Amino acid sequence: MGLHTIIDSRIDLIRFLTPDGELCENTPLPVSDEALLHFYRAMTRTRAFDGKAIALQRTGQLGTFASALGQEAVGVGVACAMEARDVLVPSYRDHAAQFLRGMSMAECLLYWGGDERGSDFTNSRDDFPNCVPVATQVAHAVGAAYAFSLRKEERVAVTFIGDGGTSNGAFYEALNMAGVWNAPVVMVINNNGWAISTPRALESAAATLAQKGVAAGVACQQVDGNDVVAVFEAARRAIAKARAGDGPTLIEALTYRLGDHTTADDATRYRDPEVVQREWTREPIARLRAYLLCKGLWSKEQEAELLKQCGAEVAEAVATYTSTPVASSDAMFDYLYEEPPQLLKDQREIARRFAPAK
């Protein structure tokens, strides 16, 4: 038997806007001016929240926080492509998408403040709470998507994972079953270049992370993750494909983490400041702003008004968060089991003894 070509694949990069905010040649934008303004406002809103959340953590008013600084286009682009009936299965850096899905800023602050009520969304109640264990959220998303198929529901599960998470066994297992079940799921790799302090080059020898979908029989795509239009369009296509019964897609969004991994990290200890400075010239908000200004769709006055509105919204959320009465220590144990095992009952009693007096 002679040799045969088994795999002949190609990963194309989707991009509409250059880092300078110019339209790529021969690639007309697939969205309206109104949509562009919506993307811009949503990314700016997320960044305003990020800055305040870090300030709260630095002053002891918030627990550890994972910033989305520089990666706003990934969450905004994907969430804008979803329909209300779809389900978001987030990790811990996906508040840009969660805000668009209906999670309030006050709920986000409660979550990072260690309050269980921060995962009990008033809106988007079918969306999953934040998942901190690395890569397990992908398995949750694939399972939910499989359930949609069994119920013959035209819904799609969407999940995010970091570049480092794709080296985790849970990711490969979930990816494999997504292909086997032809599950209506879209998995988005937020490739921000770092798995805490481990650079992308030491995480995987694969030329792209998107190509990990090939072995699982999952369609794969790479996008410029700092181009919100490209992210939206890739997610829109993938979600439409999944909803039509044509299976899962793995999207790798190339972006850069401009901040620390979390507020417990200090990226200045392991990153080249010249690289970080260079990446600031490619970040998503400035890129879209440049395009909008050039086309006469935005002005300095509109920018000032937007920042004012975002600041007021964030301030209101902070006031709600700081005035919320502290929950009982029992909340840590209330939602794990219908009948807690004795070990947890013992821990609950210990927590009650050390809880602050009311």
Side-chain angles (χ1 to χ4, degrees):
M1 180 180 294
L3 295 175
H4 299 276
T5 298
I6 304 301
I7 297 176
D8 183 10
S9 63
R10 170 175 171 164
I11 307 293
D12 290 322
L13 174 70
I14 297 180
R15 172 186 287 163
F16 292 93
L17 295 177
T18 70
D20 295 327
E22 297 177 353
L23 194 61
C24 294
E25 189 175 358
N26 299 323
T27 51
L29 290 179
V31 296
S32 66
D33 292 346
E34 183 180 355
L36 292 176
L37 293 171
H38 180 57
F39 295 160
Y40 185 74
R41 293 189 178 102
M43 291 194 294
T44 303
R45 182 171 174 245
T46 300
R47 186 164 295 186
F49 174 85
D50 252 297
K52 186 61 179 179
I54 291 173
L56 289 172
Q57 193 280 331
R58 298 303 191 213
T59 53
Q61 300 177 80
L62 198 68
T64 301
F65 177 70
S67 167
L69 181 64
Q71 304 162 67
E72 295 88 350
V74 180
V76 168
V78 171
C80 286
M82 296 176 66
E83 295 185 7
R85 59 180 163 170
D86 298 328
V87 169
L88 179 68
V89 188
S91 183
Y92 48 78
R93 201 189 301 281
D94 300 324
H95 43 283
Q98 289 175 302
F99 290 157
L100 285 167
R101 296 286 298 166
M103 183 182 76
S104 72
M105 290 183 178
E107 288 171 334
C108 189
L109 292 173
L110 284 169
Y111 171 80
W112 288 105
D115 193 315
E116 298 292 333
R117 289 169 291 187
S119 295
D120 185 19
F121 312 136
T122 301
N123 299 306
S124 61
R125 298 197 67 85
D126 284 353
D127 285 355
F128 282 43
N130 287 357
C131 183
V132 175
V134 175
T136 54
Q137 75 276 12
V138 184
H140 301 160
V142 173
Y146 186 43
F148 297 155
S149 294
L150 294 176
R151 296 171 181 169
K152 302 188 184 307
E153 297 176 350
E154 293 183 346
R155 308 173 73 186
V156 178
V158 178
T159 190
F160 295 93
I161 186 170
D163 43 299
T166 67
S167 297
N168 187 294
F171 169 75
Y172 288 106
E173 293 167 10
L175 186 67
N176 183 62
M177 294 316 299
V180 171
W181 288 333
N182 198 43
V185 60
V186 176
M187 298 157 280
V188 181
I189 303 170
N190 189 337
N191 182 357
N192 63 25
W194 293 89
I196 308 182
S197 57
T198 302
R200 158 72 173 84
L202 296 182
E203 297 165 16
S204 172
T208 73
L209 300 182
Q211 70 195 64
K212 293 187 177 186
V214 173
V218 173
C220 38
Q221 181 67 66
Q222 193 179 62
V223 301
D224 184 334
N226 285 354
D227 176 358
V228 67
V229 181
V231 176
F232 169 81
E233 182 62 11
R236 186 194 64 78
R237 295 175 189 173
I239 290 171
K241 182 170 79 71
R243 202 183 312 282
D246 294 330
T249 299
L250 179 67
I251 298 173
E252 179 187 9
L254 298 172
T255 181
Y256 191 80
R257 195 191 76 206
L258 291 173
D260 299 323
H261 173 66
T262 69
T263 49
D265 174 42
D266 179 6
T268 63
R269 299 177 63 184
Y270 54 83
R271 286 203 304 210
D272 184 342
E274 292 186 1
V275 174
V276 178
Q277 187 176 14
R278 182 195 67 201
E279 293 296 336
W280 268 105
T281 68
R282 304 177 180 181
E283 62 98 357
I285 295 181
R287 180 183 305 199
L288 182 54
R289 185 193 306 122
Y291 178 81
L292 295 174
L293 289 169
C294 181
K295 295 298 179 183
L297 299 172
W298 198 243
S299 66
K300 291 183 179 179
E301 292 74 20
Q302 288 173 296
E303 179 76 11
E305 180 60 27
L306 176 60
L307 294 178
K308 181 181 177 182
Q309 292 173 359
C310 291
E313 183 182 8
V314 172
E316 183 178 351
V318 172
T320 300
Y321 163 64
T322 55
S323 63
T324 300
V326 176
S328 164
S329 60
D330 282 6
M332 292 186 288
F333 305 93
D334 283 347
Y335 311 108
L336 299 175
Y337 295 92
E338 182 176 0
E339 179 58 36
Q342 189 58 46
L343 177 63
L344 286 184
K345 289 180 179 178
D346 294 343
Q347 290 181 6
R348 183 174 59 193
E349 291 306 312
I350 293 172
R352 285 174 176 172
R353 290 206 303 271
F354 287 95
K358 294 183 179 178

